[in-house]
Amino acid sequence: MRSWRSLVLPGGVLLLASVVLVLPQLISNMPIIGIDALFHFNRFYDIAEQIKHGQFNYFMSEYGYQHSGRIVTPLYGPWLSYLMGFALMLIPNWFWFEIVTDIAILLVAGVGIYRLGRYLKSSRYASLVSAVIYMALPLTTTWQTSQSFTGIGAALLPYVVYYGIAMAKQPTTFSWVGLAISLAVLTQAHLFTALLGVLVLGILFVVTVIGKNKATIIALMKRLIKAVVLYGLLVANVLVGMADVMGSNQILTPYTPLNISREGMRITLSQAPTLRNYSWIGVIAVIVLIIAVMVYRKLAREYRFLFWLAAVFFSLSLAVFPWNAVQQIAPALVDTMQFPSRLSVVSNIALVLLLPRILMVPDVKRQLNRRLRLVIVMVAVVVPVAISSSILAKSAHRLHTDELVHVTKHMVYNDKKSKAEIARDWRYGDVQVALADVQKATPDYLVNNGLQPGDNSYDMYMREVIQNPLKAQVTQGNNALTYRWHSGNEKQTTVPVAVYAHSKVVLNGQQVTNPKTTRIGTLQVRPRVGQNNVTISYDVSPVIKIIVLGNAVLWAGLVIFMAGKTIWRNGYQIKV
């Protein structure tokens, strides 16, 4: 039985912290068009329109991405994308969509850290301090400032770490169901962070089995096998989607920097914190690690785990780590990671939990009086909150200027509107109109159909899709896209629609057996003089359809069951 203080107090504090962290954008009264906004918003819009029209095209994008039919959702956070699309359907414009999702994601991050802190026997107030610090760190707020899914991954990773610590503490009784669900949710959101979660779990598994007897290890393995089976069922849609598309096509992967070390974290005090610079936050992190070394023997076993996670991943995230050498040895590993700075999410979790704990170690308490410890905690909270607010205020101010976006490369604006009109569309207008006002060439997950070393796939996408001169009417229906246009000649025409190995193309009533495409996979046809029709669909095997739909039913049932269980357990037992 839980008292109201155990639920309402921390929940209220974390909700208030979430609102405070988005307050600069609320005051600015403008949305933020971050570096990843157009890429993600297009798929949310596509799903929202599918839901509105009663369609379910899991593979092709029929409404987003300039009606290009490109495949993104099954390869990148599928069910979270559907959740976002459903939310967008209920929200009038991008500004309020950002505010609502910002608060929700920050709250999820805070609850995850608070829950982990309480499990590690930190006090309620210490756990809240850890949670608020984590919510304000630049990596956690990347969804707010740039609409990066790295921020969503950061919000969900603490739940996986929770069950990893539980496995280490209680190897024969930890919740294998909770472990499977938390990792599956993360996989349905951000695959790279899920891989990081698996790495952390692997480290904790090795630590757990050291020194354990045979019976304990067997009991642990049985629970892990059950967790793996449940996890496999919960991510079956991700596995079959990626296997179907990537197994039959050479897919254009997201951008990988040539000099990977430049994408690591620095500690440059003369510059404000960013996704590549710890600045003064890095100094605080180093101090925490040094003090943790000094009191290491006084720390509980679980906090020693956290210390090593913090030390290892903090070091790996730094630009001074020889990542260029690693890239030469294991290029696939580095290509998957993209940016070493992403590794700091693990050290961030460990450090925010270590800070209040080391301040309560008797040796530290003797050296630092209560007032000084309180000042340290306040500084540790205020610094990241102030930094986060500053970054968010600067980002939100862009739509009040002609700048609109921070990175203008590969961008094109509606030349029939002023920058002020475009800004108003993003603030008050229809979401479709706003996406048409600002478009970005991002060729991720298109087909690499023989790209040459000198080719620029971003420029090709701009020419062939966004600025394609073909004046065609596009209609959606029956899980297909239809392009209709009038041609005055029979010259080869590039249709701004993506073709994959399993795509089905019908030109003027006749199926095209080997459709011709450009080097980024857009369709090329030779029209007839007069009216032309091209219909393109994606041929999915019945087995994959059953797996995807079955997975959707499994998740829906799981959500209903967990919601009912939570209401039954807490809703009728809270003391008022």
Side-chain angles (χ1 to χ4, degrees):
M1 189 175 293
R2 302 180 183 183
S3 69
W4 72 271
R5 290 183 62 191
S6 67
L7 295 173
V8 176
L9 177 61
V13 170
L14 295 176
L15 178 59
L16 179 61
S18 300
V19 173
V20 168
L21 287 169
V22 302
L23 197 57
Q25 187 174 355
L26 281 167
I27 294 171
S28 175
N29 197 34
M30 278 292 177
I32 295 168
I33 310 176
I35 192 169
D36 290 335
L38 297 172
F39 179 75
H40 294 307
F41 285 4
N42 265 280
R43 61 197 180 111
F44 301 160
Y45 166 70
D46 178 77
I47 291 168
E49 289 299 303
Q50 285 193 38
I51 296 172
K52 283 180 183 178
H53 292 87
Q55 299 180 39
F56 182 74
N57 195 333
Y58 182 74
F59 284 87
M60 288 176 57
S61 300
E62 297 183 7
Y63 297 90
Y65 302 106
Q66 298 81 35
H67 309 287
S68 63
R70 60 192 286 188
I71 297 173
V72 177
T73 297
L75 308 178
Y76 200 136
W79 292 144
L80 181 64
S81 299
Y82 272 84
L83 181 61
M84 290 288 202
F86 180 77
L88 179 61
M89 186 180 67
L90 305 176
I91 298 174
N93 53 58
W94 289 117
F95 172 74
W96 284 112
F97 175 80
E98 288 187 5
I99 295 299
V100 170
T101 56
D102 287 353
I103 292 173
I105 290 164
L106 288 171
L107 188 58
V108 168
V111 169
I113 292 294
Y114 176 81
R115 182 168 173 256
L116 183 52
R118 294 294 286 153
Y119 182 73
L120 291 169
K121 293 183 169 52
S122 284
S123 70
R124 182 177 295 117
Y125 301 108
S127 298
L128 283 172
V129 166
S130 296
V132 173
I133 295 173
Y134 186 74
M135 293 163 69
L137 291 176
L139 189 68
T140 313
T141 59
T142 52
W143 173 255
Q144 293 174 263
T145 55
S146 61
Q147 289 77 52
S148 168
F149 260 49
T150 299
I152 298 178
L156 295 171
L157 185 58
Y159 297 85
V160 176
V161 176
Y162 174 95
Y163 288 104
I165 297 291
M167 176 182 67
K169 287 185 68 175
Q170 301 166 301
T172 61
T173 59
F174 75 95
S175 173
W176 61 269
V177 174
L179 175 61
I181 292 174
S182 62
L183 188 58
V185 169
L186 185 52
T187 304
Q188 295 285 357
H190 195 239
L191 187 58
F192 175 75
T193 312
L195 294 175
L196 268 184
V198 172
L199 178 58
V200 171
L201 290 174
I203 294 170
L204 291 171
F205 170 77
V206 172
V207 172
T208 301
V209 298
I210 293 175
K212 294 294 189 297
N213 58 47
K214 184 178 179 181
T216 300
I217 294 175
I218 290 174
L220 169 62
M221 291 305 300
K222 287 180 178 178
R223 300 186 83 78
L224 286 177
I225 289 170
K226 288 188 285 188
V228 169
V229 171
L230 179 57
Y231 171 76
L233 292 172
L234 291 171
V235 301
N237 64 313
V238 178
L239 298 177
V240 298
M242 295 184 73
D244 187 72
V245 178
M246 293 185 165
S248 58
N249 300 275
Q250 185 177 351
I251 296 296
L252 284 170
T253 55
Y255 164 77
T256 301
L258 295 176
N259 187 349
I260 194 73
S261 290
R262 292 183 59 185
E263 307 303 327
M265 297 297 292
R266 303 179 303 277
I267 303 178
T268 306
L269 303 183
S270 59
Q271 299 176 7
T274 64
L275 291 179
R276 303 290 184 269
N277 182 27
Y278 280 119
S279 189
W280 285 99
I281 294 176
V283 174
I284 296 173
V286 171
I287 292 172
V288 171
L289 289 173
I290 291 172
I291 297 175
V293 170
M294 296 169 62
V295 299
Y296 184 78
R297 292 183 179 276
K298 303 294 177 67
L299 294 174
R301 182 169 175 260
E302 294 76 26
Y303 283 96
R304 293 181 184 182
F305 295 161
L306 291 177
F307 165 77
W308 286 109
L309 288 176
V312 170
F313 282 91
F314 181 80
S315 301
L316 290 175
S317 73
L318 295 174
V320 295
F321 190 85
W323 280 112
N324 285 331
V326 176
Q327 190 173 28
Q328 298 300 317
I329 299 169
L333 172 66
V334 175
D335 289 349
T336 302
M337 178 180 60
Q338 284 186 285
F339 314 112
S341 57
R342 285 177 164 185
L343 300 175
S344 63
V345 65
V346 178
S347 54
N348 287 351
I349 292 171
L351 286 165
V352 299
L353 292 165
L354 271 173
L355 173 61
R357 171 55 62 178
I358 62 176
L359 290 177
M360 297 307 294
V361 171
D363 289 355
V364 176
K365 291 175 72 174
R366 280 194 294 269
Q367 298 296 322
L368 304 175
N369 61 41
R370 188 173 183 274
R371 182 176 296 178
L372 185 54
R373 294 200 309 275
L374 183 60
V375 169
I376 292 171
V377 168
M378 290 180 64
V379 169
V381 172
V382 170
V383 168
V385 169
I387 290 168
S388 172
S389 298
S390 174
I391 295 173
L392 187 62
K394 184 178 180 180
S395 299
H397 183 66
R398 290 195 182 101
L399 280 183
H400 288 289
T401 70
D402 284 344
E403 186 181 9
L404 295 186
V405 296
H406 179 52
V407 179
T408 58
K409 195 174 184 181
H410 309 302
M411 291 275 195
V412 61
Y413 301 107
N414 187 339
D415 57 8
K416 297 179 181 178
K417 294 182 179 180
S418 67
K419 295 292 181 66
E421 289 174 319
I422 291 173
R424 281 196 296 273
D425 284 343
W426 273 84
R427 172 58 185 89
Y428 301 105
D430 182 79
V431 292
Q432 179 184 9
V433 173
L435 288 178
D437 285 344
V438 184
Q439 300 183 69
K440 182 180 180 179
T442 309
D444 298 3
Y445 309 117
L446 289 172
V447 176
N448 181 345
N449 187 29
L451 282 168
Q452 303 300 313
D455 287 339
N456 187 317
S457 57
Y458 290 83
D459 291 342
M460 295 171 79
Y461 185 84
M462 181 67 76
R463 290 194 307 270
E464 296 173 19
V465 178
I466 295 177
Q467 296 179 335
N468 189 304
L470 182 67
K471 305 298 182 184
Q473 178 187 2
V474 185
T475 56
Q476 300 86 5
N478 298 319
N479 289 331
L481 280 169
T482 299
Y483 278 74
R484 295 183 175 88
W485 76 98
H486 187 276
S487 178
N489 55 61
E490 298 182 355
K491 291 181 180 180
Q492 182 172 274
T493 300
T494 298
V495 183
V497 67
V499 177
Y500 295 81
H502 295 163
S503 295
K504 180 181 177 182
V505 179
V506 177
L507 172 62
N508 296 325
Q510 299 293 319
Q511 183 171 343
V512 182
T513 53
N514 292 301
K516 185 177 181 181
T517 62
T518 67
R519 292 200 288 273
I520 61 168
T522 51
L523 179 64
Q524 291 185 316
V525 298
R526 194 168 295 280
R528 64 192 178 193
V529 175
Q531 186 68 24
N532 288 271
N533 300 278
V534 165
T535 299
I536 184 165
S537 57
Y538 191 79
D539 193 11
V540 184
S541 75
V543 173
I544 291 178
K545 288 181 180 179
I546 291 170
I547 291 173
V548 171
L549 289 174
N551 183 264
V553 171
L554 177 60
W555 274 106
L558 186 63
V559 169
I560 293 170
F561 172 76
M562 291 181 66
K565 184 179 179 181
T566 301
I567 292 171
W568 178 258
R569 177 181 295 175
N570 299 320
Y572 299 102
Q573 299 181 26
I574 298 174
K575 291 181 180 179
V576 180

PDB file of all heavy atoms in Angstrom, residues 464-486:
ATOM      1  N   GLU A 464      15.771  15.034 -57.665  1.00  0.00           N
ATOM      2  CA  GLU A 464      14.887  13.991 -58.182  1.00  0.00           C
ATOM      3  C   GLU A 464      13.554  13.897 -57.447  1.00  0.00           C
ATOM      4  O   GLU A 464      12.588  13.371 -57.997  1.00  0.00           O
ATOM      5  CB  GLU A 464      15.601  12.637 -58.117  1.00  0.00           C
ATOM      6  CG  GLU A 464      16.825  12.565 -59.013  1.00  0.00           C
ATOM      7  CD  GLU A 464      17.624  11.280 -58.809  1.00  0.00           C
ATOM      8  OE1 GLU A 464      17.044  10.315 -58.258  1.00  0.00           O
ATOM      9  OE2 GLU A 464      18.814  11.235 -59.185  1.00  0.00           O
ATOM     10  N   VAL A 465      13.508  14.393 -56.216  1.00  0.00           N
ATOM     11  CA  VAL A 465      12.272  14.275 -55.441  1.00  0.00           C
ATOM     12  C   VAL A 465      11.700  15.641 -55.077  1.00  0.00           C
ATOM     13  O   VAL A 465      10.610  16.012 -55.512  1.00  0.00           O
ATOM     14  CB  VAL A 465      12.501  13.423 -54.167  1.00  0.00           C
ATOM     15  CG1 VAL A 465      11.221  13.346 -53.333  1.00  0.00           C
ATOM     16  CG2 VAL A 465      12.972  12.019 -54.532  1.00  0.00           C
ATOM     17  N   ILE A 466      12.449  16.402 -54.277  1.00  0.00           N
ATOM     18  CA  ILE A 466      11.900  17.667 -53.774  1.00  0.00           C
ATOM     19  C   ILE A 466      11.671  18.667 -54.888  1.00  0.00           C
ATOM     20  O   ILE A 466      10.616  19.320 -54.959  1.00  0.00           O
ATOM     21  CB  ILE A 466      12.838  18.250 -52.691  1.00  0.00           C
ATOM     22  CG1 ILE A 466      12.874  17.307 -51.473  1.00  0.00           C
ATOM     23  CG2 ILE A 466      12.370  19.646 -52.271  1.00  0.00           C
ATOM     24  CD1 ILE A 466      13.819  17.754 -50.380  1.00  0.00           C
ATOM     25  N   GLN A 467      12.636  18.823 -55.804  1.00  0.00           N
ATOM     26  CA  GLN A 467      12.522  19.802 -56.884  1.00  0.00           C
ATOM     27  C   GLN A 467      12.260  19.139 -58.238  1.00  0.00           C
ATOM     28  O   GLN A 467      12.546  19.711 -59.283  1.00  0.00           O
ATOM     29  CB  GLN A 467      13.790  20.659 -56.940  1.00  0.00           C
ATOM     30  CG  GLN A 467      13.994  21.496 -55.680  1.00  0.00           C
ATOM     31  CD  GLN A 467      15.249  22.336 -55.704  1.00  0.00           C
ATOM     32  OE1 GLN A 467      16.217  22.011 -56.400  1.00  0.00           O
ATOM     33  NE2 GLN A 467      15.258  23.425 -54.947  1.00  0.00           N
ATOM     34  N   ASN A 468      11.704  17.958 -58.211  1.00  0.00           N
ATOM     35  CA  ASN A 468      11.377  17.250 -59.451  1.00  0.00           C
ATOM     36  C   ASN A 468      10.362  18.062 -60.254  1.00  0.00           C
ATOM     37  O   ASN A 468       9.324  18.473 -59.720  1.00  0.00           O
ATOM     38  CB  ASN A 468      10.805  15.871 -59.112  1.00  0.00           C
ATOM     39  CG  ASN A 468      10.647  14.984 -60.336  1.00  0.00           C
ATOM     40  OD1 ASN A 468       9.997  15.346 -61.305  1.00  0.00           O
ATOM     41  ND2 ASN A 468      11.246  13.808 -60.278  1.00  0.00           N
ATOM     42  N   PRO A 469      10.622  18.331 -61.545  1.00  0.00           N
ATOM     43  CA  PRO A 469       9.728  19.191 -62.339  1.00  0.00           C
ATOM     44  C   PRO A 469       8.420  18.515 -62.761  1.00  0.00           C
ATOM     45  O   PRO A 469       7.525  19.189 -63.285  1.00  0.00           O
ATOM     46  CB  PRO A 469      10.590  19.526 -63.563  1.00  0.00           C
ATOM     47  CG  PRO A 469      11.528  18.359 -63.703  1.00  0.00           C
ATOM     48  CD  PRO A 469      11.816  17.908 -62.301  1.00  0.00           C
ATOM     49  N   LEU A 470       8.286  17.207 -62.545  1.00  0.00           N
ATOM     50  CA  LEU A 470       7.079  16.513 -62.978  1.00  0.00           C
ATOM     51  C   LEU A 470       5.856  17.044 -62.221  1.00  0.00           C
ATOM     52  O   LEU A 470       5.820  17.025 -60.990  1.00  0.00           O
ATOM     53  CB  LEU A 470       7.227  15.007 -62.745  1.00  0.00           C
ATOM     54  CG  LEU A 470       6.051  14.136 -63.200  1.00  0.00           C
ATOM     55  CD1 LEU A 470       5.937  14.161 -64.723  1.00  0.00           C
ATOM     56  CD2 LEU A 470       6.206  12.711 -62.703  1.00  0.00           C
ATOM     57  N   LYS A 471       4.870  17.493 -62.948  1.00  0.00           N
ATOM     58  CA  LYS A 471       3.626  17.986 -62.350  1.00  0.00           C
ATOM     59  C   LYS A 471       2.601  16.852 -62.363  1.00  0.00           C
ATOM     60  O   LYS A 471       1.873  16.659 -63.333  1.00  0.00           O
ATOM     61  CB  LYS A 471       3.088  19.192 -63.118  1.00  0.00           C
ATOM     62  CG  LYS A 471       4.086  20.335 -63.265  1.00  0.00           C
ATOM     63  CD  LYS A 471       4.496  20.897 -61.906  1.00  0.00           C
ATOM     64  CE  LYS A 471       5.471  22.070 -62.063  1.00  0.00           C
ATOM     65  NZ  LYS A 471       5.955  22.562 -60.762  1.00  0.00           N
ATOM     66  N   ALA A 472       2.579  16.096 -61.283  1.00  0.00           N
ATOM     67  CA  ALA A 472       1.706  14.929 -61.232  1.00  0.00           C
ATOM     68  C   ALA A 472       0.723  15.047 -60.080  1.00  0.00           C
ATOM     69  O   ALA A 472       1.010  15.649 -59.046  1.00  0.00           O
ATOM     70  CB  ALA A 472       2.542  13.661 -61.081  1.00  0.00           C
ATOM     71  N   GLN A 473      -0.427  14.438 -60.276  1.00  0.00           N
ATOM     72  CA  GLN A 473      -1.417  14.332 -59.207  1.00  0.00           C
ATOM     73  C   GLN A 473      -1.159  13.008 -58.478  1.00  0.00           C
ATOM     74  O   GLN A 473      -1.027  11.959 -59.105  1.00  0.00           O
ATOM     75  CB  GLN A 473      -2.831  14.344 -59.779  1.00  0.00           C
ATOM     76  CG  GLN A 473      -3.922  14.192 -58.727  1.00  0.00           C
ATOM     77  CD  GLN A 473      -5.302  14.026 -59.341  1.00  0.00           C
ATOM     78  OE1 GLN A 473      -5.446  13.986 -60.551  1.00  0.00           O
ATOM     79  NE2 GLN A 473      -6.316  13.916 -58.489  1.00  0.00           N
ATOM     80  N   VAL A 474      -1.092  13.086 -57.154  1.00  0.00           N
ATOM     81  CA  VAL A 474      -0.780  11.901 -56.363  1.00  0.00           C
ATOM     82  C   VAL A 474      -2.001  11.503 -55.548  1.00  0.00           C
ATOM     83  O   VAL A 474      -2.609  12.331 -54.875  1.00  0.00           O
ATOM     84  CB  VAL A 474       0.412  12.157 -55.409  1.00  0.00           C
ATOM     85  CG1 VAL A 474       0.795  10.866 -54.679  1.00  0.00           C
ATOM     86  CG2 VAL A 474       1.614  12.714 -56.166  1.00  0.00           C
ATOM     87  N   THR A 475      -2.342  10.222 -55.613  1.00  0.00           N
ATOM     88  CA  THR A 475      -3.439   9.701 -54.805  1.00  0.00           C
ATOM     89  C   THR A 475      -2.963   8.465 -54.039  1.00  0.00           C
ATOM     90  O   THR A 475      -2.047   7.766 -54.472  1.00  0.00           O
ATOM     91  CB  THR A 475      -4.663   9.327 -55.665  1.00  0.00           C
ATOM     92  OG1 THR A 475      -4.257   8.388 -56.668  1.00  0.00           O
ATOM     93  CG2 THR A 475      -5.251  10.560 -56.328  1.00  0.00           C
ATOM     94  N   GLN A 476      -3.603   8.241 -52.893  1.00  0.00           N
ATOM     95  CA  GLN A 476      -3.267   7.094 -52.056  1.00  0.00           C
ATOM     96  C   GLN A 476      -4.480   6.188 -51.941  1.00  0.00           C
ATOM     97  O   GLN A 476      -5.617   6.650 -51.952  1.00  0.00           O
ATOM     98  CB  GLN A 476      -2.841   7.550 -50.651  1.00  0.00           C
ATOM     99  CG  GLN A 476      -1.631   8.452 -50.611  1.00  0.00           C
ATOM    100  CD  GLN A 476      -1.946   9.924 -50.790  1.00  0.00           C
ATOM    101  OE1 GLN A 476      -3.112  10.310 -50.857  1.00  0.00           O
ATOM    102  NE2 GLN A 476      -0.925  10.748 -50.868  1.00  0.00           N
ATOM    103  N   GLY A 477      -4.215   4.895 -51.796  1.00  0.00           N
ATOM    104  CA  GLY A 477      -5.298   3.945 -51.618  1.00  0.00           C
ATOM    105  C   GLY A 477      -4.848   2.533 -51.891  1.00  0.00           C
ATOM    106  O   GLY A 477      -3.959   2.301 -52.730  1.00  0.00           O
ATOM    107  N   ASN A 478      -5.428   1.578 -51.180  1.00  0.00           N
ATOM    108  CA  ASN A 478      -5.087   0.158 -51.352  1.00  0.00           C
ATOM    109  C   ASN A 478      -3.590  -0.095 -51.169  1.00  0.00           C
ATOM    110  O   ASN A 478      -2.975  -0.869 -51.920  1.00  0.00           O
ATOM    111  CB  ASN A 478      -5.541  -0.337 -52.731  1.00  0.00           C
ATOM    112  CG  ASN A 478      -7.044  -0.239 -52.905  1.00  0.00           C
ATOM    113  OD1 ASN A 478      -7.806  -0.549 -51.991  1.00  0.00           O
ATOM    114  ND2 ASN A 478      -7.476   0.220 -54.076  1.00  0.00           N
ATOM    115  N   ASN A 479      -3.006   0.591 -50.179  1.00  0.00           N
ATOM    116  CA  ASN A 479      -1.580   0.435 -49.871  1.00  0.00           C
ATOM    117  C   ASN A 479      -0.691   0.698 -51.081  1.00  0.00           C
ATOM    118  O   ASN A 479       0.302   0.002 -51.311  1.00  0.00           O
ATOM    119  CB  ASN A 479      -1.292  -0.962 -49.318  1.00  0.00           C
ATOM    120  CG  ASN A 479      -1.848  -1.149 -47.922  1.00  0.00           C
ATOM    121  OD1 ASN A 479      -1.967  -0.196 -47.159  1.00  0.00           O
ATOM    122  ND2 ASN A 479      -2.218  -2.367 -47.592  1.00  0.00           N
ATOM    123  N   ALA A 480      -1.070   1.703 -51.855  1.00  0.00           N
ATOM    124  CA  ALA A 480      -0.300   2.043 -53.054  1.00  0.00           C
ATOM    125  C   ALA A 480      -0.354   3.543 -53.305  1.00  0.00           C
ATOM    126  O   ALA A 480      -1.253   4.245 -52.818  1.00  0.00           O
ATOM    127  CB  ALA A 480      -0.839   1.290 -54.268  1.00  0.00           C
ATOM    128  N   LEU A 481       0.617   4.019 -54.052  1.00  0.00           N
ATOM    129  CA  LEU A 481       0.651   5.410 -54.502  1.00  0.00           C
ATOM    130  C   LEU A 481       0.425   5.431 -56.009  1.00  0.00           C
ATOM    131  O   LEU A 481       0.993   4.608 -56.739  1.00  0.00           O
ATOM    132  CB  LEU A 481       2.017   6.039 -54.210  1.00  0.00           C
ATOM    133  CG  LEU A 481       2.293   6.535 -52.794  1.00  0.00           C
ATOM    134  CD1 LEU A 481       3.775   6.876 -52.644  1.00  0.00           C
ATOM    135  CD2 LEU A 481       1.454   7.756 -52.482  1.00  0.00           C
ATOM    136  N   THR A 482      -0.390   6.358 -56.480  1.00  0.00           N
ATOM    137  CA  THR A 482      -0.629   6.501 -57.917  1.00  0.00           C
ATOM    138  C   THR A 482      -0.272   7.908 -58.352  1.00  0.00           C
ATOM    139  O   THR A 482      -0.763   8.886 -57.768  1.00  0.00           O
ATOM    140  CB  THR A 482      -2.097   6.195 -58.278  1.00  0.00           C
ATOM    141  OG1 THR A 482      -2.401   4.850 -57.909  1.00  0.00           O
ATOM    142  CG2 THR A 482      -2.331   6.363 -59.772  1.00  0.00           C
ATOM    143  N   TYR A 483       0.587   8.002 -59.351  1.00  0.00           N
ATOM    144  CA  TYR A 483       0.983   9.279 -59.952  1.00  0.00           C
ATOM    145  C   TYR A 483       0.301   9.404 -61.309  1.00  0.00           C
ATOM    146  O   TYR A 483       0.399   8.504 -62.152  1.00  0.00           O
ATOM    147  CB  TYR A 483       2.502   9.339 -60.144  1.00  0.00           C
ATOM    148  CG  TYR A 483       3.267   9.724 -58.893  1.00  0.00           C
ATOM    149  CD1 TYR A 483       3.423   8.828 -57.846  1.00  0.00           C
ATOM    150  CD2 TYR A 483       3.841  10.990 -58.771  1.00  0.00           C
ATOM    151  CE1 TYR A 483       4.115   9.168 -56.701  1.00  0.00           C
ATOM    152  CE2 TYR A 483       4.539  11.346 -57.629  1.00  0.00           C
ATOM    153  CZ  TYR A 483       4.669  10.432 -56.603  1.00  0.00           C
ATOM    154  OH  TYR A 483       5.354  10.784 -55.476  1.00  0.00           O
ATOM    155  N   ARG A 484      -0.385  10.534 -61.537  1.00  0.00           N
ATOM    156  CA  ARG A 484      -1.063  10.789 -62.809  1.00  0.00           C
ATOM    157  C   ARG A 484      -0.565  12.110 -63.387  1.00  0.00           C
ATOM    158  O   ARG A 484      -0.529  13.122 -62.684  1.00  0.00           O
ATOM    159  CB  ARG A 484      -2.580  10.858 -62.616  1.00  0.00           C
ATOM    160  CG  ARG A 484      -3.219   9.548 -62.162  1.00  0.00           C
ATOM    161  CD  ARG A 484      -4.732   9.679 -62.062  1.00  0.00           C
ATOM    162  NE  ARG A 484      -5.367   8.405 -61.745  1.00  0.00           N
ATOM    163  CZ  ARG A 484      -5.564   7.960 -60.508  1.00  0.00           C
ATOM    164  NH1 ARG A 484      -5.200   8.709 -59.456  1.00  0.00           N
ATOM    165  NH2 ARG A 484      -6.129   6.787 -60.307  1.00  0.00           N
ATOM    166  N   TRP A 485      -0.176  12.090 -64.650  1.00  0.00           N
ATOM    167  CA  TRP A 485       0.281  13.317 -65.293  1.00  0.00           C
ATOM    168  C   TRP A 485       0.092  13.214 -66.804  1.00  0.00           C
ATOM    169  O   TRP A 485      -0.102  12.131 -67.351  1.00  0.00           O
ATOM    170  CB  TRP A 485       1.749  13.588 -64.967  1.00  0.00           C
ATOM    171  CG  TRP A 485       2.768  12.747 -65.696  1.00  0.00           C
ATOM    172  CD1 TRP A 485       3.472  13.090 -66.804  1.00  0.00           C
ATOM    173  CD2 TRP A 485       3.175  11.412 -65.370  1.00  0.00           C
ATOM    174  NE1 TRP A 485       4.296  12.075 -67.206  1.00  0.00           N
ATOM    175  CE2 TRP A 485       4.148  11.030 -66.319  1.00  0.00           C
ATOM    176  CE3 TRP A 485       2.828  10.500 -64.374  1.00  0.00           C
ATOM    177  CZ2 TRP A 485       4.761   9.772 -66.311  1.00  0.00           C
ATOM    178  CZ3 TRP A 485       3.442   9.265 -64.356  1.00  0.00           C
ATOM    179  CH2 TRP A 485       4.391   8.914 -65.293  1.00  0.00           C
ATOM    180  N   HIS A 486       0.149  14.366 -67.446  1.00  0.00           N
ATOM    181  CA  HIS A 486       0.005  14.437 -68.903  1.00  0.00           C
ATOM    182  C   HIS A 486       1.377  14.708 -69.506  1.00  0.00           C
ATOM    183  O   HIS A 486       2.098  15.608 -69.062  1.00  0.00           O
ATOM    184  CB  HIS A 486      -0.967  15.548 -69.303  1.00  0.00           C
ATOM    185  CG  HIS A 486      -1.279  15.569 -70.775  1.00  0.00           C
ATOM    186  ND1 HIS A 486      -0.464  16.208 -71.691  1.00  0.00           N
ATOM    187  CD2 HIS A 486      -2.312  15.010 -71.477  1.00  0.00           C
ATOM    188  CE1 HIS A 486      -0.983  16.053 -72.902  1.00  0.00           C
ATOM    189  NE2 HIS A 486      -2.102  15.334 -72.796  1.00  0.00           N
TER     190      HIS A 486
END
